Amino acid sequence: QREALSRAHGAEVEQLEGEWRNKLDVQHEKHMCSLQELNTQHTHKLRELESSRRARERELEEANFRLLQDQEALKIESKKLEETLLNDTDHRLQAVRNMCSSLKSEVDSLKTVVEMKNAEIHDLRGQVIEMERLSSELEMARDRAKALQAKTEDLQAQMEKKALKERHLVNEHRLLVETYQRESNANKRLSLENEELAWKLRQREEIMSTSMPASTLG
């Protein structure tokens, strides 16, 4: 019965150890998959935002450069026309004034476009800040993942120590049971030998008691 209890206890310990290891492995696998998916999503989103930001920024910079060139050309042309006004006829003067007014309107329109482009550049900078924030969150998530990995490894080490200790206790219990059985068997043999000696002594006493009168008569 002790051996059966010992075997049952050892089997139960091994079963609990296996279940706990399986749970740890499943939890660790889920955590790593979730972290990998989060890392992939963040990296993909950051790459898309970075690519879109760079393309849009280049486009806006080129457009802004062209607008500035156009604005500078219009200023030069307007200056030339103003200089022409001083030496031209009234008819040409009126035409030039009208052209200057048109050019001024175009310059104002270009300023509006430049302001809009600057606003888009400001939005892109805001996206850059958001990307930096996402990068920081991703780094924090990686740090948390490392901490969880270390904790998981520590739990596994504790489980291995516990399992080793339990196996040691099971072995000690088995040795104690075997020792107890050997001593019990030895005690049984001694008891049987004592009973056999007592029976032989009784037999000898009976033989001696029955043989005493005959020897006396003889």
Side-chain angles (χ1 to χ4, degrees):
Q1 187 176 6
R2 288 177 180 270
E3 288 181 351
L5 288 174
S6 177
R7 288 193 297 271
H9 177 70
E12 184 177 359
V13 169
E14 292 179 358
Q15 181 179 1
L16 290 174
E17 180 181 353
E19 291 177 354
W20 182 251
R21 288 181 180 274
N22 291 333
K23 288 180 180 179
L24 280 177
D25 292 339
V26 170
Q27 187 67 25
H28 179 65
E29 185 68 23
K30 288 182 179 179
H31 173 70
M32 294 304 296
C33 289
S34 177
L35 178 62
Q36 184 67 28
E37 183 179 358
L38 178 63
N39 191 4
T40 302
Q41 291 177 357
H42 275 79
T43 303
H44 184 66
K45 186 174 181 181
L46 287 173
R47 288 177 179 175
E48 288 181 351
L49 288 173
E50 180 66 17
S51 178
S52 176
R53 180 192 67 81
R54 289 179 179 176
R56 188 57 179 167
E57 190 173 11
R58 286 194 299 268
E59 180 182 351
L60 290 175
E61 287 177 352
E62 291 174 359
N64 193 19
F65 180 73
R66 288 194 300 270
L67 289 172
L68 290 174
Q69 286 182 336
D70 293 340
Q71 183 179 0
E72 188 65 24
L74 289 172
K75 286 181 178 180
I76 295 172
E77 187 177 355
S78 177
K79 186 177 181 180
K80 289 180 179 180
L81 289 174
E82 289 177 356
E83 292 176 354
T84 304
L85 288 176
L86 299 175
N87 301 316
D88 209 343
T89 61
D90 293 339
H91 177 72
R92 290 183 178 182
L93 181 61
Q94 185 63 34
V96 170
R97 286 177 179 175
N98 293 333
M99 187 178 293
C100 287
S101 178
S102 177
L103 290 173
K104 185 178 180 181
S105 298
E106 290 183 7
V107 169
D108 292 337
S109 177
L110 287 173
K111 287 182 179 180
T112 303
V113 173
V114 170
E115 290 176 356
M116 292 175 62
K117 298 300 182 181
N118 288 332
E120 291 185 5
I121 291 174
H122 179 72
D123 292 338
L124 285 174
R125 289 175 179 172
Q127 292 180 7
V128 171
I129 294 173
E130 179 66 16
M131 289 170 60
E132 291 176 352
R133 185 185 66 81
L134 290 174
S135 298
S136 178
E137 290 181 356
L138 179 60
E139 188 64 26
M140 293 174 63
R142 288 174 178 171
D143 292 338
R144 288 196 297 269
K146 290 180 180 178
L148 290 174
Q149 177 69 21
K151 186 176 181 181
T152 302
E153 292 175 355
D154 183 62
L155 288 175
Q156 289 178 348
Q158 291 181 8
M159 281 298 300
E160 291 176 357
K161 289 181 179 179
K162 183 178 179 181
L164 182 62
K165 185 176 181 180
E166 289 179 351
R167 286 195 296 269
H168 181 68
L169 290 175
V170 169
N171 291 330
E172 286 186 351
H173 181 266
R174 180 177 56 79
L175 292 174
L176 288 173
V177 170
E178 292 176 356
T179 303
Y180 171 79
Q181 288 179 348
R182 286 196 299 270
E183 292 179 354
S184 178
N185 292 331
N187 289 332
K188 287 180 181 179
R189 285 195 301 272
L190 290 173
S191 178
L192 290 174
E193 290 177 357
N194 289 333
E195 290 179 359
E196 183 179 359
L197 289 173
W199 179 79
K200 287 181 178 180
L201 288 173
R202 286 196 300 271
Q203 290 293 325
R204 182 175 293 181
E205 289 176 355
E206 290 178 358
I207 292 172
M208 291 179 66
S209 63
T210 55
S211 62
M212 283 297 293
S215 61
T216 302
L217 293 174

